[in-house]
Amino acid sequence: MTSNGSSCADVTPPGPPLWLLAELTYKCPLQCPYCANPVQLEGGAELSTDQWRDVLRQARGLGAAQLGFSGGEPLTRPDLEQLVACARELGYYTNLITSGMGLTERRVQTLADAGLDHIQISFQDAEAAASAYLAGTGKAFEHKLEMARVVKAAGFPMVLNVVIHRHNIDRIGDILQMCLDLDADYVELASCQYYGWAQLNRQGLMPTLEQVRAAERTTEAFRQKIAEQGRKCRLLFVVPDYYEERPKPCMGGWGSIFLTVTPDGTALPCHSARELPISFPNVRDTPLRDIWYRSGGFNQFRGDDWMPAPCRSCDERHQDFGGCRCQAWALTGDAAQADPVCSKSPHHDLILAARAEALQPEAAPLVYRNVHNAKLFYRG
Ligand code: FES
């Protein structure tokens, strides 16, 4: 035991990064008010094709096996097919995480030819008008529907993702029916988590507990219907953190399996960590091996020596790792605090207040992710 009564710190050395998220660009034709990313780069330029190839090579050398191409909208990068081909050659399992905007029948084919394994398309809603309202732009919905059909016809698994919040949660049945009509193989109903633009828009996005429970029941009814029909479609409904009593083991633990590289080459342990007051290294000047194993940013919240009370002596600290560092920072201004979602946290009252706020009949107006609002992007 240490002098403060806790057991010895966990000093297990980290394993390799298994998952690489390549955020190719912040450019996106949509303006979703729950996006985690800033609108534009603050300095520097996007990594070049060769720089990305080098990142993919280094990460694969470290042991990364899963690769997600995301953004912004990764289809805005004209070299996407070249990067997919490079990833294929290196032996990655590749996933394109896209809004579907910029996708065409021809591009689906060129991506398939380059060796892409998997395409995930995000939808805002099951109705054109509601989708336009949430994406901050019209015309996207019909195109997404069309591209989802093209992706399925090309032989890719049909993976659909819908961010769930107070503006669409009551239509979850329509959303699920749309996914079944598109012959989806896997549907992720991703409850909005309050980072980035969603943190700024929490009063406009957070549903009530009653809405969340009703959505869970509807999802379960659809699971039964799918089973009765003998169809193979998996539904995942992620309950919003703010309605949990224990925090999630965010990213499977800080610097444990996930490695994100942003458009300008900054390496992060999660896609939201850029908001933290931590200096993270850049792949332009530091080898990935040093970034992963030796950099201060990646080591900052590994193990449990950094944990203050109540996490420090909590039996569950090796299951949830104290929760999400980005959420702790966004809510308390101290990234080392227990995630306030935890009922043992001294800051849990902030979560209770947010739940009470969600009961307000009128949602606050949404602030869209665009250049006019860029300076409002949450910085803590
Ligand atoms: Fe960054 Fe949870 S999103 S640690």
Side-chain angles (χ1 to χ4, degrees):
M1 299 286 275
T2 59
S3 55
N4 63 14
S6 67
S7 59
C8 288
D10 171 10
V11 289
T12 314
L18 300 178
W19 235 106
L20 173 64
L21 185 69
E23 291 185 337
L24 300 182
T25 181
Y26 285 148
K27 294 189 193 101
C28 182
L30 305 185
Q31 305 178 42
C32 302
Y34 42 72
C35 183
N37 286 336
V39 180
Q40 54 210 354
L41 292 169
E42 282 170 357
E46 290 181 3
L47 294 182
S48 67
T49 311
D50 281 343
Q51 285 171 319
W52 272 117
R53 283 196 183 107
D54 188 40
V55 168
L56 303 190
R57 220 171 280 126
Q58 289 188 57
R60 186 79 182 111
L62 286 178
Q66 299 261 354
L67 169 59
F69 290 109
S70 83
E73 177 45 69
L75 288 161
T76 62
R77 286 277 302 216
D79 57 356
L80 179 61
E81 283 81 350
Q82 292 174 58
L83 297 176
V84 169
C86 171
R88 174 65 164 214
E89 214 176 287
L90 290 166
Y92 279 103
Y93 184 83
T94 50
N95 186 11
L96 175 65
I97 300 157
T98 175
S99 66
M101 303 307 290
L103 207 53
T104 59
E105 204 165 341
R106 183 171 154 66
R107 206 132 190 229
V108 170
Q109 199 47 58
T110 55
L111 287 164
D113 293 345
L116 185 67
D117 293 302
H118 188 127
I119 301 181
Q120 174 189 297
I121 300 184
S122 62
F123 276 81
Q124 277 71 28
D125 206 302
E127 290 176 1
S131 292
Y133 172 67
L134 292 164
T137 178
K139 297 190 195 143
F141 182 65
E142 289 303 328
H143 183 72
K144 282 166 182 272
L145 284 178
E146 189 189 339
M147 285 305 111
R149 293 187 192 107
V150 169
V151 164
K152 179 82 181 181
F156 286 101
M158 168 59 64
V159 182
L160 301 179
N161 170 284
V162 188
V163 176
I164 301 296
H165 42 74
R166 73 183 280 165
H167 294 278
N168 63 8
I169 194 164
D170 295 333
R171 280 191 297 280
I172 209 156
D174 295 340
I175 290 170
L176 285 168
Q177 190 55 53
M178 173 189 76
C179 295
L180 292 186
D181 293 346
L182 288 169
D183 206 9
D185 298 293
Y186 186 84
V187 180
E188 186 180 58
L189 302 164
S191 287
C192 193
Q193 307 288 10
Y194 302 102
Y195 314 117
W197 292 91
Q199 168 74 7
L200 190 64
N201 280 307
R202 195 183 70 200
Q203 289 179 8
L205 292 171
M206 189 162 154
T208 65
L209 178 60
E210 198 184 328
Q211 286 178 302
V212 171
R213 294 293 173 243
E216 282 182 308
R217 286 193 296 276
T218 304
T219 307
E220 189 48 38
F222 267 83
R223 285 195 189 105
Q224 283 172 19
K225 178 167 138 181
I226 289 165
E228 281 159 22
Q229 293 175 353
R231 295 177 64 159
K232 290 199 176 4
C233 175
R234 288 182 55 212
L235 308 183
L236 177 69
F237 179 79
V238 183
V239 174
D241 283 11
Y242 277 51
Y243 289 110
E244 299 282 12
E245 294 302 312
R246 285 288 176 276
K248 61 178 182 273
C250 200
M251 299 292 124
W254 180 269
S256 177
I257 47 176
F258 282 94
L259 169 61
T260 296
V261 178
T262 69
D264 68 354
T266 306
L268 302 170
C270 78
H271 58 285
S272 292
R274 68 174 69 73
E275 294 177 16
L276 303 181
I278 295 174
S279 169
F280 288 104
N282 194 294
V283 297
R284 292 178 200 265
D285 47 43
T286 311
L288 264 191
R289 180 171 295 279
D290 289 348
I291 287 175
W292 182 259
Y293 289 105
R294 284 189 269 280
S295 70
F298 277 75
N299 280 314
Q300 182 116 6
F301 300 116
R302 280 180 172 144
D304 59 11
D305 212 19
W306 57 271
M307 290 178 180
C311 299
R312 194 165 182 75
S313 57
C314 178
D315 295 349
E316 295 167 73
R317 69 188 183 285
H318 295 148
Q319 277 98 61
D320 61 33
F321 314 109
C324 175
R325 297 304 87 224
C326 298
Q327 198 144 264
W329 163 250
L331 289 168
T332 73
D334 178 357
Q337 283 293 317
D339 187 336
V341 161
C342 184
S343 61
K344 298 182 192 177
S345 157
H347 301 286
H348 190 59
D349 58 313
L350 296 170
I351 298 295
L352 301 181
R355 290 180 194 170
E357 200 176 80
L359 293 167
Q360 296 296 321
E362 288 296 315
L366 298 176
V367 179
Y368 291 93
R369 176 188 186 265
N370 59 41
V371 284
H372 305 295
N373 293 329
K375 59 179 174 309
L376 299 174
F377 185 71
Y378 182 72
R379 286 284 167 206

